[in-house]
Amino acid sequence: MADIFLGLGGNGERQEMRLSRANRHGLVAGATGTGKTVTLQTIAEQFSAAGVPVFLADVKSDLSGIAMPGSPTFKNAAILEARAAEIGLTDYAYSDNPVVFWDLYGEQGHPIRTTISEMGPLLLARLLDLNETQEGVLNIVFRYADEQGLLLLDLEDLQAMLIHTAENAATLTTRYGTVSKASVGTIQRQLLSLESQGGAQFFGEPALEINDFIRCDEQGRGMINVLAADKLMRSPKLYATFLLWLLAELFETLPEVGDPEKPRLVFFFDEAHLLFDDAPKALQEKVEQVVRLVRSKGVGVYFVTQNPIDVPEQIAGQLGNRVQHALRAFTPRDKKAIKAAAETFRINPELDVEQAITELKTGEALVSTLEEDGAPSIVQRTLIAPPRSRLGPITPKERAVIQSVSPFAGKYDERVDRESAEEVLAAKAADAAATAQEVAEKGEEAVARQERKSPGLWDGIGGKVARAAAGAAAASAGSILASSIQGKTSRASPRATAASAAAGTIGNTLEKAIGIPGLGRFARNLIGGLMR
């Protein structure tokens, strides 16, 4: 099995990344214009050729060309071909790659959605920039919704749940702790801000099935999943939170595989500093935990950033494969970064690493990868191999053609809005308002004596309640799997969680219809056990 050829070292030896060590993560760093994006493209297309699926973010709209073969007529062709000859690539030829385009906004690729429940209160609090007190209230909202069997799918569900929480703050405070209406108001304002940035399109169904990222084409090449992130970068916190959620979902969903012959998926996190900017310590610790443990799931995480000190030391220490492009010593921070980068490499007595970092030309890098025994190789100044696919963006017409033959055409494109917390709470509020109006007009005793206008109990179960139960049962595994990194409240199996949601709805209906306090909880437990 061919390894990843990075380029030709100054010692005349091929610099390669072993596929069996590629899940030990990596770093691609360097100043703007030094060749990071081209290096990323070179590595990604070789992973694909080796049958390893890839996920990467196209933050500058120039990585989409990886879907098309290069051409001798493009302006950089002469440079690429000269580099190939210089490093001894006798089989160099232009070729395309199997690509699927994704876009949170659904404009340049298949939309990616997740549910509010999948995101979880921890990541959502990070996204909304909540303080500790506000995050505590958000946790109460999630816990209460979970216990009531209310599905939180989109922002409308969360807004409805927040309103319900504020209206019942006194009762919930007694049970869960202080629920401040001021904190609820702050969360609501932050949700409106997120919605104005287009964040509402990210929440809803159909939710992404994470295994759709882990596919190969009919030739055995790993699919390259390209996220159109040029627009997303205008909301950097949404970008960072989304990628962290995706990484957490991979960690939660994939089984343990140890150290495979090659990774199951390679994940490139471009503009990695956005993940750590202003991140609370608790979140950084969770990121460190996931990065450390996701290796055993067969996932390699590669951080791409301008400055290597953007990545915290605890995480940088886990990045075994390193490609360091040039850094510029213009400021004291730059000098600190150069010194820090030089000290991370295994010493090469024939190379002044600190000086070399400032002298590297475009397309050159200092390379160190993990050896077969897990030790880092001696750092070498390396001429990076050229990509075989197109440098630069594809045209809208080419993108449309690629989308038309995508294996996911029609799967995620249309939004689905099934019954969830918003609809259930709205129905309850409408029923309560109608009953209050009747009591005011006819009196409490008259209303109590009249026949029910609503369907019978079991009719309700056959109708609205059954739809809610079926909806819960139909939820995808990705929609209901819990994750400690996301702060989810339940770690049940998909079937058990669906049963719990359905049983919660039926149990609440029983208690309301029969009027015996505590019956709902008993019924939920009984029905939940039967349905599991």
Side-chain angles (χ1 to χ4, degrees):
M1 184 180 298
D3 291 323
I4 306 300
F5 176 55
L6 298 176
L8 189 66
N11 60 354
E13 296 180 356
R14 290 168 59 92
Q15 300 300 303
E16 296 180 333
M17 183 195 308
R18 287 172 171 77
L19 281 173
S20 60
R21 292 290 179 265
N23 66 326
R24 300 299 181 94
H25 311 318
L27 175 71
V28 179
T32 299
T34 57
K36 295 192 306 296
T37 300
V38 177
T39 298
L40 191 160
Q41 187 167 334
T42 296
I43 296 174
E45 63 184 26
Q46 290 190 65
F47 272 124
S48 174
V52 178
V54 172
F55 176 89
L56 54 87
D58 187 8
V59 300
K60 299 190 291 289
S61 299
D62 55 358
L63 272 172
S64 58
I66 199 170
M68 304 296 291
S71 169
T73 62
F74 289 135
K75 63 179 182 180
N76 293 313
I79 298 175
L80 298 179
E81 292 169 4
R83 172 59 59 86
E86 185 178 6
I87 64 177
L89 275 180
T90 56
D91 63 343
Y92 183 74
Y94 297 113
S95 62
D96 62 358
N97 298 282
V99 170
V100 176
F101 290 111
W102 304 87
D103 184 357
L104 259 66
Y105 303 103
E107 297 172 357
Q108 301 183 69
H110 300 301
I112 296 180
R113 301 185 189 91
T114 185
T115 65
I116 292 291
S117 295
E118 280 183 302
M119 178 65 72
L122 178 62
L123 291 186
L124 196 58
R126 153 74 167 165
L127 180 59
L128 299 177
D129 200 22
L130 303 182
N131 62 30
E132 186 175 345
T133 300
Q134 295 154 0
E135 183 181 344
V137 172
L138 190 63
N139 272 288
I140 291 174
V141 170
F142 271 74
R143 176 69 177 272
Y144 183 52
D146 187 58
E147 291 184 354
Q148 296 298 313
L150 297 174
L151 298 176
L152 297 178
L153 303 181
D154 51 31
L155 290 186
E156 289 80 5
D157 290 329
L158 185 55
Q159 284 281 19
M161 200 67 205
L162 286 166
I163 294 172
H164 185 71
T165 299
E167 292 173 346
N168 296 273
T171 303
L172 295 177
T173 295
T174 303
R175 182 172 181 180
Y176 300 105
T178 303
V179 177
S180 164
K181 291 186 178 181
S183 293
V184 172
T186 299
I187 298 171
Q188 289 177 309
R189 288 193 298 273
Q190 293 298 88
L191 285 177
L192 289 175
S193 176
L194 175 63
E195 189 172 359
S196 69
Q197 298 174 32
Q201 299 178 57
F202 176 47
F203 295 104
E205 291 186 313
L208 175 71
E209 294 180 24
I210 206 70
N211 284 321
D212 284 346
F213 279 163
I214 309 174
R215 294 169 62 103
C216 294
D217 70 357
E218 62 279 1
Q219 301 176 39
R221 299 178 299 173
M223 300 297 295
I224 299 179
N225 301 277
V226 178
L227 174 70
D230 50 335
K231 181 178 178 180
L232 182 59
M233 289 301 295
R234 301 172 198 168
S235 305
K237 189 158 288 188
L238 177 58
Y239 168 76
T241 306
F242 159 70
L243 290 185
L244 180 54
W245 162 79
L246 183 57
L247 188 59
E249 284 296 302
L250 288 167
F251 169 70
E252 184 67 31
T253 304
L254 297 179
E256 294 279 343
V257 294
D259 284 318
E261 293 183 358
K262 61 182 181 181
R264 295 193 64 190
L265 176 73
V266 171
F267 183 101
F268 288 95
F269 201 135
D270 204 356
E271 300 293 340
H273 66 279
L274 296 175
L275 178 60
F276 308 106
D277 287 350
D278 303 320
K281 183 178 179 181
L283 184 61
Q284 284 202 23
E285 290 173 350
K286 291 296 185 181
V287 176
E288 178 189 354
Q289 179 188 40
V290 171
V291 171
R292 183 174 68 250
L293 298 178
V294 79
R295 172 195 64 78
S296 63
K297 305 297 184 89
V299 177
V301 182
Y302 288 73
F303 294 95
V304 184
T305 188
Q306 292 189 20
N307 202 319
I309 64 175
D310 291 335
V311 181
E313 290 184 5
Q314 298 88 338
I315 295 174
Q318 301 177 44
L319 311 181
N321 301 292
R322 293 171 176 260
V323 179
Q324 176 66 62
H325 286 274
L327 293 173
R328 310 305 180 201
F330 295 136
T331 68
R333 186 174 187 271
D334 293 338
K335 293 178 181 179
K336 179 182 177 181
I338 291 170
K339 183 176 179 62
E343 291 175 348
T344 60
F345 289 110
R346 182 177 172 184
I347 296 175
N348 183 343
E350 298 179 0
L351 180 65
D352 185 338
V353 175
E354 195 168 334
Q355 181 179 346
I357 290 177
T358 63
E359 297 175 346
L360 293 169
K361 301 175 183 178
T362 300
E364 278 189 302
L366 298 176
V367 171
S368 176
T369 61
L370 293 179
E371 302 281 9
E372 191 62 42
D373 60 2
S377 64
I378 294 174
V379 61
Q380 295 291 344
R381 185 167 179 168
T382 303
L383 295 174
I384 298 298
R388 298 169 186 259
S389 52
R390 182 187 300 178
L391 287 182
I394 60 175
T395 67
K397 184 176 181 179
E398 289 170 331
R399 185 184 292 269
V401 171
I402 293 171
Q403 283 296 96
S404 68
V405 296
S406 167
F408 309 116
K411 181 173 182 178
Y412 296 107
D413 299 333
E414 294 298 325
R415 191 181 188 90
V416 175
D417 186 15
R418 61 189 173 99
E419 187 177 65
S420 50
E422 182 192 22
E423 291 79 13
V424 172
L425 292 175
K428 287 183 177 180
D431 289 345
T435 301
Q437 180 66 26
E438 279 194 289
V439 169
E441 294 174 353
K442 303 177 181 179
E444 186 174 349
E445 292 185 5
V447 172
R449 287 196 303 269
Q450 70 183 16
E451 294 183 4
R452 287 183 288 108
K453 297 178 181 178
S454 58
L457 173 62
W458 299 110
D459 291 337
I461 293 175
K464 180 179 177 181
V465 176
R467 288 195 300 273
S476 65
S479 300
I480 52 183
L481 277 174
S483 169
S484 59
I485 175 66
Q486 294 160 294
K488 294 176 183 175
T489 56
S490 171
R491 302 193 64 86
S493 67
R495 180 178 298 177
T497 306
S500 176
T505 304
I506 298 171
N508 289 338
T509 303
L510 282 169
E511 181 169 332
K512 182 177 179 181
I514 299 176
I516 301 178
L519 179 60
R521 179 177 296 277
F522 171 76
R524 284 196 296 274
N525 292 338
L526 176 61
I527 298 170
L530 292 175
M531 294 179 69
R532 292 165 199 253

